[in-house]
Amino acid sequence: MRAVAVQLNSTDDIKRNRATADRLVREAVSGGAELVVLPEKWNVLGTDEQMAAAAEPLDGPSIAWAREVAAELGIDLVAGSIVERVQGREKTLNTSVHVGPDGEVRAVYRKIHMFDVEVDGTVYRESDGEDPGDEIVVSELAGGIKVGMSVCYDVRFPELYRILALRGAEVIVIPAAFTLATTRDHWETLLRARAIENQCFVVAPNQIGPHPPGDRSGGRSLIVDPWGLPLAMASDGEGWVAAELDLNHLREIRRTLPSLANRRPGAYRWPEEQ
C-alpha cells in the first residue's frame, strides 16, 4: 500500500488552506497514493478566536470536501483534524475523520490529550477552548488493514498506542502541528519509538512554518516502518512524502520479534495496587 503524508502551512485563510490541500492530495494520488493523511487543523490554524470562529460540524464544508475528493479519487483519506463545533457544547473538539474510497465516513476520532504546556516560554492552554475526546478509535482501510487514529500531543502517551496495536492496528496515523522546538528535539524520536514499541507503520504529517498569532510548526513529516526506520521525510516546505507500506514485512517482524505476544499484563501493577 502506498501511503502519503501531506505537509501544509495552514493559516487563518481557509480558502487557501483547502485549495492547497486539494492540490497536494491530487498530486499524491497521481503518484499512486492509496492512503493520504493531512496534518492537524489542516483547514484552519490561527489564533484561538480565529479557530473558534471557523469551527464547523462534521457535515460542514471541510469534511464535505474530504468526502468528495476521496470518492472522486478512490482513496482512503484521513482528514488530519478540524476544529469541530458540536451543537450544545460550549467548547470545540479537535477531530480527525477517516473517509473511505466510497466517500463515506469510516471513523471519527476526537483528540484525547490536551496540549496544556509551556514550550520555549510560550504557554499553550488547549483545554481553555477545547474539550478532550474519550474514545480510542481503530478504523479499517479499504483493503482491510486496521488503522489506529491519534492526533499530535497524543504521541507522548505510549499507553494509547499500545491499546491501538492490541486492537489490531498495523498502521498508526499521527496528524500534527508540532511546535518548532519540539519538532527539532522530540518529533522523530517519539514517532520511531511508537513504531518500534507497537511494531506498526506510522504516518505522521506535520504542519510547517508560521501561523497566527506568531507560532511556528517544524515540519519534517515522516513515515516510519515497524522496525523504527524512517521511510520518507518531508523537506522544509509544503508538499508530500510517500512510502510503500509492506504489510508482509510488518508481520514478519511481529513473528520473529514477538514483543506484543510476549507481554505479561498480569505482572504490570501500579505501586498502589501492590
Side-chain angles (χ1 to χ4, degrees), residues 25 32 34 74 76 95 102 104 119 123 164 173 178 185 212 229 263:
V25 169
E34 301 162 84
D76 281 288
T95 302
D102 57 0
E104 295 300 313
V119 177
V123 174
L164 291 173
V173 294
F178 248 55
D185 296 334
L229 300 179
R263 294 171 61 253

Side-chain angles (χ1 to χ4, degrees), residues 39-196:
E40 181 182 18
K41 294 178 178 170
W42 63 272
N43 64 327
V44 60
L45 191 51
T47 66
D48 293 343
E49 295 76 17
Q50 288 168 336
M51 288 191 289
E56 56 186 84
L58 292 183
D59 59 357
S62 293
I63 302 305
W65 166 83
R67 296 181 63 180
E68 290 168 7
V69 78
E72 177 190 344
L73 301 176
I75 58 168
D76 281 288
L77 176 62
V78 177
S81 76
I82 67 166
V83 184
E84 182 192 3
R85 175 70 65 193
V86 176
Q87 188 173 7
R89 299 186 75 141
E90 179 182 350
K91 296 183 180 181
T92 60
L93 297 122
N94 190 346
T95 302
S96 183
V97 178
H98 168 213
V99 180
D102 57 0
E104 295 300 313
V105 172
R106 297 287 182 90
V108 175
Y109 168 73
R110 296 176 173 97
K111 184 182 173 194
I112 291 173
H113 301 98
M114 295 288 94
F115 192 56
D116 291 352
V117 305
E118 181 178 339
V119 177
D120 269 0
T122 299
V123 174
Y124 300 86
R125 289 284 306 171
E126 204 166 55
S127 64
D128 285 350
E130 294 183 357
D131 283 329
D134 56 10
E135 182 182 0
I136 294 173
V137 176
V138 175
S139 190
E140 189 170 298
L141 303 176
I145 299 164
K146 290 190 175 180
V147 57
M149 299 179 69
S150 65
V151 174
C152 199
Y153 187 52
D154 285 335
V155 75
R156 295 182 182 274
F157 300 86
E159 54 269 46
L160 167 62
Y161 295 89
R162 178 49 47 90
I163 294 169
L164 291 173
L166 293 176
R167 291 186 180 179
E170 294 181 310
V171 178
I172 290 170
V173 294
I174 311 177
F178 248 55
T179 70
L180 183 64
T182 55
T183 300
R184 180 190 63 224
D185 296 334
H186 299 161
W187 172 248
E188 183 175 342
T189 300
L190 287 167
L191 296 176
R192 295 179 69 180
R194 298 296 85 85
I196 294 166

